[in-house]
Amino acid sequence: MTTLVRKNQNQGWLPLFFNDFFRDDWKAGAGAHNTVPAINVKETGQAFCIEVAAAGMTKEDFNVSIDEDNDLVITVENKNETNDENKDARYLRREFSYSKFQQTLVLPENVNKDRIDAKVENGVLYINLPKLSENEIQKKQRSVAIK
């Protein structure tokens, strides 16, 4: 069985979340705007399925890409600003809501990177990572002639 692996990144502003995925004791000190979306990863015979919980987000808030290392990069960014055009008032306090989350997953060799798809439904981002068939895996392998 092949599994998806989180890539260890230097995420200095996030408290050790990426270094220890299952440890969540740091959340107690996090403010309401510093939440990290929960991620589920499941495997079937045909695909890996990733679910990212991000209530209130729209598909425009998500970006899913494959980077130069062929890793899957999931980015969630939400800016919630209000524009007040009232020139007769001044702010004594004004708060903006901004959240950004990025997660990189190392993809197994048996993922068909050309057929990855994603959709947002009811505040959850679903990413489908189809597996290559045994035939497709064998076609990808090639011998190198020795001179």
Side-chain angles (χ1 to χ4, degrees), residues 2 15-16 18 22 25 29-30 36 46 58 61 63 68 75-77 80 83-84 94 101 111 118 128 133 136 138 144:
T2 308
L16 300 176
F18 298 110
F22 294 104
D25 57 335
V36 176
Q46 295 77 33
T58 64
D61 297 325
N63 183 30
E68 63 277 357
T75 305
V76 183
E77 184 173 14
N80 189 8
N83 291 328
D84 187 0
R94 185 174 184 179
F101 166 79
V111 168
N128 185 49
S133 68
E136 291 170 312
Q138 289 175 358
V144 176

PDB file of all heavy atoms in Angstrom, residues 2 15-16 18 22 25 29-30 36 46 58 61 63 68 75-77 80 83-84 94 101 111 118 128 133 136 138 144:
ATOM      1  N   THR A   2       0.614   2.150  -0.887  1.00  0.00           N
ATOM      2  CA  THR A   2       1.333   3.408  -0.989  1.00  0.00           C
ATOM      3  C   THR A   2       0.516   4.480  -0.294  1.00  0.00           C
ATOM      4  O   THR A   2      -0.694   4.493  -0.379  1.00  0.00           O
ATOM      5  CB  THR A   2       1.518   3.784  -2.460  1.00  0.00           C
ATOM      6  OG1 THR A   2       2.082   2.682  -3.146  1.00  0.00           O
ATOM      7  CG2 THR A   2       2.433   4.967  -2.600  1.00  0.00           C
ATOM      8  N   PRO A  15       2.556  26.857  14.314  1.00  0.00           N
ATOM      9  CA  PRO A  15       3.225  26.148  15.400  1.00  0.00           C
ATOM     10  C   PRO A  15       3.307  24.639  15.199  1.00  0.00           C
ATOM     11  O   PRO A  15       2.405  23.905  15.568  1.00  0.00           O
ATOM     12  CB  PRO A  15       2.397  26.518  16.632  1.00  0.00           C
ATOM     13  CG  PRO A  15       1.099  26.980  16.089  1.00  0.00           C
ATOM     14  CD  PRO A  15       1.322  27.462  14.695  1.00  0.00           C
ATOM     15  N   LEU A  16       4.370  24.200  14.604  1.00  0.00           N
ATOM     16  CA  LEU A  16       4.729  22.786  14.482  1.00  0.00           C
ATOM     17  C   LEU A  16       3.685  21.897  13.838  1.00  0.00           C
ATOM     18  O   LEU A  16       3.812  20.689  13.860  1.00  0.00           O
ATOM     19  CB  LEU A  16       5.080  22.209  15.868  1.00  0.00           C
ATOM     20  CG  LEU A  16       6.256  22.877  16.578  1.00  0.00           C
ATOM     21  CD1 LEU A  16       6.426  22.284  17.962  1.00  0.00           C
ATOM     22  CD2 LEU A  16       7.528  22.747  15.782  1.00  0.00           C
ATOM     23  N   PHE A  18       2.960  21.229  10.731  1.00  0.00           N
ATOM     24  CA  PHE A  18       3.414  20.442   9.603  1.00  0.00           C
ATOM     25  C   PHE A  18       4.483  19.429   9.995  1.00  0.00           C
ATOM     26  O   PHE A  18       4.725  18.489   9.283  1.00  0.00           O
ATOM     27  CB  PHE A  18       3.911  21.346   8.485  1.00  0.00           C
ATOM     28  CG  PHE A  18       2.809  22.223   7.984  1.00  0.00           C
ATOM     29  CD1 PHE A  18       2.810  23.566   8.233  1.00  0.00           C
ATOM     30  CD2 PHE A  18       1.741  21.680   7.298  1.00  0.00           C
ATOM     31  CE1 PHE A  18       1.772  24.363   7.788  1.00  0.00           C
ATOM     32  CE2 PHE A  18       0.700  22.476   6.856  1.00  0.00           C
ATOM     33  CZ  PHE A  18       0.721  23.818   7.103  1.00  0.00           C
ATOM     34  N   PHE A  22      -0.412  14.778  13.642  1.00  0.00           N
ATOM     35  CA  PHE A  22      -1.438  14.306  14.557  1.00  0.00           C
ATOM     36  C   PHE A  22      -1.420  15.006  15.908  1.00  0.00           C
ATOM     37  O   PHE A  22      -2.290  14.790  16.725  1.00  0.00           O
ATOM     38  CB  PHE A  22      -1.313  12.799  14.752  1.00  0.00           C
ATOM     39  CG  PHE A  22      -1.612  12.055  13.485  1.00  0.00           C
ATOM     40  CD1 PHE A  22      -0.603  11.503  12.736  1.00  0.00           C
ATOM     41  CD2 PHE A  22      -2.907  11.951  13.016  1.00  0.00           C
ATOM     42  CE1 PHE A  22      -0.875  10.841  11.549  1.00  0.00           C
ATOM     43  CE2 PHE A  22      -3.197  11.300  11.836  1.00  0.00           C
ATOM     44  CZ  PHE A  22      -2.176  10.738  11.102  1.00  0.00           C
ATOM     45  N   ASP A  25      -2.216  19.908  20.246  1.00  0.00           N
ATOM     46  CA  ASP A  25      -2.321  20.628  21.516  1.00  0.00           C
ATOM     47  C   ASP A  25      -2.062  22.121  21.361  1.00  0.00           C
ATOM     48  O   ASP A  25      -2.439  22.909  22.205  1.00  0.00           O
ATOM     49  CB  ASP A  25      -1.374  20.032  22.562  1.00  0.00           C
ATOM     50  CG  ASP A  25       0.077  20.021  22.124  1.00  0.00           C
ATOM     51  OD1 ASP A  25       0.335  20.020  20.913  1.00  0.00           O
ATOM     52  OD2 ASP A  25       0.954  20.008  23.015  1.00  0.00           O
ATOM     53  N   GLY A  29      -4.239  27.538  22.064  1.00  0.00           N
ATOM     54  CA  GLY A  29      -3.812  28.923  22.122  1.00  0.00           C
ATOM     55  C   GLY A  29      -4.110  29.706  20.865  1.00  0.00           C
ATOM     56  O   GLY A  29      -3.855  30.889  20.792  1.00  0.00           O
ATOM     57  N   ALA A  30      -4.638  29.062  19.869  1.00  0.00           N
ATOM     58  CA  ALA A  30      -4.887  29.745  18.602  1.00  0.00           C
ATOM     59  C   ALA A  30      -6.156  30.571  18.682  1.00  0.00           C
ATOM     60  O   ALA A  30      -7.135  30.178  19.286  1.00  0.00           O
ATOM     61  CB  ALA A  30      -5.007  28.718  17.475  1.00  0.00           C
ATOM     62  N   VAL A  36      -6.771  25.965  11.307  1.00  0.00           N
ATOM     63  CA  VAL A  36      -6.197  25.202  10.214  1.00  0.00           C
ATOM     64  C   VAL A  36      -7.251  24.213   9.753  1.00  0.00           C
ATOM     65  O   VAL A  36      -7.812  23.479  10.563  1.00  0.00           O
ATOM     66  CB  VAL A  36      -4.930  24.457  10.694  1.00  0.00           C
ATOM     67  CG1 VAL A  36      -4.378  23.583   9.593  1.00  0.00           C
ATOM     68  CG2 VAL A  36      -3.889  25.457  11.168  1.00  0.00           C
ATOM     69  N   GLN A  46      -9.003   2.406  -6.625  1.00  0.00           N
ATOM     70  CA  GLN A  46      -8.788   3.183  -7.846  1.00  0.00           C
ATOM     71  C   GLN A  46      -8.192   4.566  -7.619  1.00  0.00           C
ATOM     72  O   GLN A  46      -7.723   5.198  -8.563  1.00  0.00           O
ATOM     73  CB  GLN A  46     -10.117   3.370  -8.610  1.00  0.00           C
ATOM     74  CG  GLN A  46     -10.732   2.098  -9.138  1.00  0.00           C
ATOM     75  CD  GLN A  46     -11.425   1.292  -8.033  1.00  0.00           C
ATOM     76  OE1 GLN A  46     -11.973   1.857  -7.093  1.00  0.00           O
ATOM     77  NE2 GLN A  46     -11.359  -0.015  -8.142  1.00  0.00           N
ATOM     78  N   THR A  58     -15.331  29.468  -0.792  1.00  0.00           N
ATOM     79  CA  THR A  58     -15.856  29.173  -2.119  1.00  0.00           C
ATOM     80  C   THR A  58     -14.723  28.603  -2.965  1.00  0.00           C
ATOM     81  O   THR A  58     -13.547  28.633  -2.555  1.00  0.00           O
ATOM     82  CB  THR A  58     -16.398  30.439  -2.799  1.00  0.00           C
ATOM     83  OG1 THR A  58     -15.310  31.349  -3.008  1.00  0.00           O
ATOM     84  CG2 THR A  58     -17.476  31.099  -1.951  1.00  0.00           C
ATOM     85  N   ASP A  61     -11.567  30.586  -3.370  1.00  0.00           N
ATOM     86  CA  ASP A  61     -10.639  30.676  -2.247  1.00  0.00           C
ATOM     87  C   ASP A  61      -9.572  29.580  -2.274  1.00  0.00           C
ATOM     88  O   ASP A  61      -8.602  29.641  -1.522  1.00  0.00           O
ATOM     89  CB  ASP A  61     -11.391  30.589  -0.911  1.00  0.00           C
ATOM     90  CG  ASP A  61     -12.358  31.749  -0.724  1.00  0.00           C
ATOM     91  OD1 ASP A  61     -12.036  32.867  -1.172  1.00  0.00           O
ATOM     92  OD2 ASP A  61     -13.438  31.532  -0.144  1.00  0.00           O
ATOM     93  N   ASN A  63      -6.748  26.958  -4.268  1.00  0.00           N
ATOM     94  CA  ASN A  63      -5.853  26.727  -5.397  1.00  0.00           C
ATOM     95  C   ASN A  63      -5.208  25.363  -5.182  1.00  0.00           C
ATOM     96  O   ASN A  63      -4.650  25.106  -4.115  1.00  0.00           O
ATOM     97  CB  ASN A  63      -4.785  27.817  -5.496  1.00  0.00           C
ATOM     98  CG  ASN A  63      -3.893  27.626  -6.697  1.00  0.00           C
ATOM     99  OD1 ASN A  63      -4.309  27.092  -7.720  1.00  0.00           O
ATOM    100  ND2 ASN A  63      -2.656  28.055  -6.577  1.00  0.00           N
ATOM    101  N   GLU A  68       7.009  22.098  -8.890  1.00  0.00           N
ATOM    102  CA  GLU A  68       8.136  21.622  -9.701  1.00  0.00           C
ATOM    103  C   GLU A  68       8.705  20.289  -9.223  1.00  0.00           C
ATOM    104  O   GLU A  68       9.395  19.602  -9.975  1.00  0.00           O
ATOM    105  CB  GLU A  68       9.246  22.684  -9.762  1.00  0.00           C
ATOM    106  CG  GLU A  68       9.887  23.018  -8.430  1.00  0.00           C
ATOM    107  CD  GLU A  68       9.123  24.032  -7.582  1.00  0.00           C
ATOM    108  OE1 GLU A  68       8.088  24.566  -8.029  1.00  0.00           O
ATOM    109  OE2 GLU A  68       9.560  24.278  -6.446  1.00  0.00           O
ATOM    110  N   THR A  75      -3.718  25.282  -1.451  1.00  0.00           N
ATOM    111  CA  THR A  75      -3.690  26.598  -0.807  1.00  0.00           C
ATOM    112  C   THR A  75      -5.120  27.083  -0.624  1.00  0.00           C
ATOM    113  O   THR A  75      -5.935  26.993  -1.539  1.00  0.00           O
ATOM    114  CB  THR A  75      -2.922  27.615  -1.673  1.00  0.00           C
ATOM    115  OG1 THR A  75      -1.620  27.096  -1.944  1.00  0.00           O
ATOM    116  CG2 THR A  75      -2.787  28.942  -0.964  1.00  0.00           C
ATOM    117  N   VAL A  76      -5.414  27.568   0.584  1.00  0.00           N
ATOM    118  CA  VAL A  76      -6.709  28.162   0.894  1.00  0.00           C
ATOM    119  C   VAL A  76      -6.418  29.574   1.378  1.00  0.00           C
ATOM    120  O   VAL A  76      -5.644  29.775   2.305  1.00  0.00           O
ATOM    121  CB  VAL A  76      -7.458  27.384   2.000  1.00  0.00           C
ATOM    122  CG1 VAL A  76      -8.822  27.994   2.250  1.00  0.00           C
ATOM    123  CG2 VAL A  76      -7.571  25.912   1.666  1.00  0.00           C
ATOM    124  N   GLU A  77      -7.032  30.567   0.732  1.00  0.00           N
ATOM    125  CA  GLU A  77      -6.814  31.958   1.119  1.00  0.00           C
ATOM    126  C   GLU A  77      -8.146  32.677   1.096  1.00  0.00           C
ATOM    127  O   GLU A  77      -8.865  32.621   0.104  1.00  0.00           O
ATOM    128  CB  GLU A  77      -5.828  32.623   0.173  1.00  0.00           C
ATOM    129  CG  GLU A  77      -5.472  34.031   0.574  1.00  0.00           C
ATOM    130  CD  GLU A  77      -4.357  34.616  -0.283  1.00  0.00           C
ATOM    131  OE1 GLU A  77      -4.038  34.049  -1.340  1.00  0.00           O
ATOM    132  OE2 GLU A  77      -3.828  35.658   0.120  1.00  0.00           O
ATOM    133  N   ASN A  80     -11.627  38.697   4.003  1.00  0.00           N
ATOM    134  CA  ASN A  80     -12.976  39.150   4.289  1.00  0.00           C
ATOM    135  C   ASN A  80     -12.895  40.601   4.738  1.00  0.00           C
ATOM    136  O   ASN A  80     -12.715  40.886   5.904  1.00  0.00           O
ATOM    137  CB  ASN A  80     -13.608  38.262   5.367  1.00  0.00           C
ATOM    138  CG  ASN A  80     -15.072  38.562   5.550  1.00  0.00           C
ATOM    139  OD1 ASN A  80     -15.656  39.316   4.795  1.00  0.00           O
ATOM    140  ND2 ASN A  80     -15.662  37.971   6.563  1.00  0.00           N
ATOM    141  N   ASN A  83     -15.709  47.396   2.729  1.00  0.00           N
ATOM    142  CA  ASN A  83     -15.359  48.740   2.274  1.00  0.00           C
ATOM    143  C   ASN A  83     -16.455  49.700   2.721  1.00  0.00           C
ATOM    144  O   ASN A  83     -17.588  49.592   2.312  1.00  0.00           O
ATOM    145  CB  ASN A  83     -15.224  48.771   0.746  1.00  0.00           C
ATOM    146  CG  ASN A  83     -14.026  47.996   0.272  1.00  0.00           C
ATOM    147  OD1 ASN A  83     -13.018  47.938   0.954  1.00  0.00           O
ATOM    148  ND2 ASN A  83     -14.135  47.385  -0.894  1.00  0.00           N
ATOM    149  N   ASP A  84     -16.075  50.631   3.540  1.00  0.00           N
ATOM    150  CA  ASP A  84     -17.019  51.632   4.022  1.00  0.00           C
ATOM    151  C   ASP A  84     -16.680  52.957   3.349  1.00  0.00           C
ATOM    152  O   ASP A  84     -15.615  53.528   3.570  1.00  0.00           O
ATOM    153  CB  ASP A  84     -16.900  51.749   5.541  1.00  0.00           C
ATOM    154  CG  ASP A  84     -17.974  52.639   6.131  1.00  0.00           C
ATOM    155  OD1 ASP A  84     -18.812  53.164   5.368  1.00  0.00           O
ATOM    156  OD2 ASP A  84     -17.958  52.815   7.364  1.00  0.00           O
ATOM    157  N   ARG A  94     -10.769  48.873  13.602  1.00  0.00           N
ATOM    158  CA  ARG A  94     -11.210  48.192  12.400  1.00  0.00           C
ATOM    159  C   ARG A  94     -10.451  46.877  12.294  1.00  0.00           C
ATOM    160  O   ARG A  94      -9.228  46.863  12.378  1.00  0.00           O
ATOM    161  CB  ARG A  94     -10.934  49.060  11.181  1.00  0.00           C
ATOM    162  CG  ARG A  94     -11.468  48.474   9.906  1.00  0.00           C
ATOM    163  CD  ARG A  94     -11.298  49.451   8.775  1.00  0.00           C
ATOM    164  NE  ARG A  94     -11.896  48.906   7.569  1.00  0.00           N
ATOM    165  CZ  ARG A  94     -11.927  49.526   6.417  1.00  0.00           C
ATOM    166  NH1 ARG A  94     -11.412  50.729   6.311  1.00  0.00           N
ATOM    167  NH2 ARG A  94     -12.472  48.975   5.382  1.00  0.00           N
ATOM    168  N   PHE A 101      -3.796  29.184   4.299  1.00  0.00           N
ATOM    169  CA  PHE A 101      -3.327  27.859   4.669  1.00  0.00           C
ATOM    170  C   PHE A 101      -2.715  27.240   3.428  1.00  0.00           C
ATOM    171  O   PHE A 101      -3.261  27.356   2.335  1.00  0.00           O
ATOM    172  CB  PHE A 101      -4.519  27.019   5.153  1.00  0.00           C
ATOM    173  CG  PHE A 101      -4.246  25.550   5.241  1.00  0.00           C
ATOM    174  CD1 PHE A 101      -3.550  25.032   6.308  1.00  0.00           C
ATOM    175  CD2 PHE A 101      -4.697  24.680   4.259  1.00  0.00           C
ATOM    176  CE1 PHE A 101      -3.312  23.673   6.400  1.00  0.00           C
ATOM    177  CE2 PHE A 101      -4.466  23.325   4.345  1.00  0.00           C
ATOM    178  CZ  PHE A 101      -3.768  22.825   5.423  1.00  0.00           C
ATOM    179  N   VAL A 111       0.128   7.680  -8.758  1.00  0.00           N
ATOM    180  CA  VAL A 111      -0.946   8.642  -9.005  1.00  0.00           C
ATOM    181  C   VAL A 111      -0.856   9.129 -10.449  1.00  0.00           C
ATOM    182  O   VAL A 111       0.213   9.498 -10.932  1.00  0.00           O
ATOM    183  CB  VAL A 111      -0.864   9.843  -8.032  1.00  0.00           C
ATOM    184  CG1 VAL A 111      -1.789  10.963  -8.466  1.00  0.00           C
ATOM    185  CG2 VAL A 111      -1.192   9.407  -6.626  1.00  0.00           C
ATOM    186  N   ALA A 118     -10.734  18.271  -8.859  1.00  0.00           N
ATOM    187  CA  ALA A 118     -11.169  18.780  -7.557  1.00  0.00           C
ATOM    188  C   ALA A 118     -12.510  19.481  -7.714  1.00  0.00           C
ATOM    189  O   ALA A 118     -12.856  19.973  -8.787  1.00  0.00           O
ATOM    190  CB  ALA A 118     -10.132  19.761  -7.006  1.00  0.00           C
ATOM    191  N   ASN A 128      -9.636  14.381  -6.049  1.00  0.00           N
ATOM    192  CA  ASN A 128      -9.572  12.983  -6.458  1.00  0.00           C
ATOM    193  C   ASN A 128      -8.241  12.747  -7.175  1.00  0.00           C
ATOM    194  O   ASN A 128      -7.924  13.429  -8.147  1.00  0.00           O
ATOM    195  CB  ASN A 128     -10.745  12.651  -7.387  1.00  0.00           C
ATOM    196  CG  ASN A 128     -10.779  11.193  -7.731  1.00  0.00           C
ATOM    197  OD1 ASN A 128     -10.694  10.334  -6.877  1.00  0.00           O
ATOM    198  ND2 ASN A 128     -10.908  10.913  -9.019  1.00  0.00           N
ATOM    199  N   SER A 133      -3.133   2.329 -13.542  1.00  0.00           N
ATOM    200  CA  SER A 133      -3.315   0.880 -13.580  1.00  0.00           C
ATOM    201  C   SER A 133      -1.938   0.219 -13.676  1.00  0.00           C
ATOM    202  O   SER A 133      -0.933   0.871 -13.969  1.00  0.00           O
ATOM    203  CB  SER A 133      -4.169   0.494 -14.784  1.00  0.00           C
ATOM    204  OG  SER A 133      -3.444   0.739 -15.976  1.00  0.00           O
ATOM    205  N   GLU A 136      -0.424   0.925 -16.985  1.00  0.00           N
ATOM    206  CA  GLU A 136       0.095   2.288 -17.117  1.00  0.00           C
ATOM    207  C   GLU A 136       1.421   2.444 -16.370  1.00  0.00           C
ATOM    208  O   GLU A 136       2.317   3.134 -16.838  1.00  0.00           O
ATOM    209  CB  GLU A 136      -0.925   3.304 -16.607  1.00  0.00           C
ATOM    210  CG  GLU A 136      -2.162   3.419 -17.464  1.00  0.00           C
ATOM    211  CD  GLU A 136      -3.249   4.244 -16.819  1.00  0.00           C
ATOM    212  OE1 GLU A 136      -3.561   4.019 -15.622  1.00  0.00           O
ATOM    213  OE2 GLU A 136      -3.802   5.109 -17.521  1.00  0.00           O
ATOM    214  N   GLN A 138       3.627   0.050 -15.841  1.00  0.00           N
ATOM    215  CA  GLN A 138       4.646  -0.647 -16.627  1.00  0.00           C
ATOM    216  C   GLN A 138       5.048   0.161 -17.854  1.00  0.00           C
ATOM    217  O   GLN A 138       6.209   0.174 -18.243  1.00  0.00           O
ATOM    218  CB  GLN A 138       4.153  -2.031 -17.029  1.00  0.00           C
ATOM    219  CG  GLN A 138       4.087  -2.984 -15.855  1.00  0.00           C
ATOM    220  CD  GLN A 138       3.484  -4.331 -16.218  1.00  0.00           C
ATOM    221  OE1 GLN A 138       3.073  -4.556 -17.350  1.00  0.00           O
ATOM    222  NE2 GLN A 138       3.430  -5.230 -15.243  1.00  0.00           N
ATOM    223  N   VAL A 144      17.004   1.594 -19.695  1.00  0.00           N
ATOM    224  CA  VAL A 144      18.057   2.446 -20.214  1.00  0.00           C
ATOM    225  C   VAL A 144      19.123   1.540 -20.802  1.00  0.00           C
ATOM    226  O   VAL A 144      19.619   0.630 -20.126  1.00  0.00           O
ATOM    227  CB  VAL A 144      18.646   3.342 -19.108  1.00  0.00           C
ATOM    228  CG1 VAL A 144      19.803   4.150 -19.631  1.00  0.00           C
ATOM    229  CG2 VAL A 144      17.575   4.232 -18.513  1.00  0.00           C
TER     230      VAL A 144
END
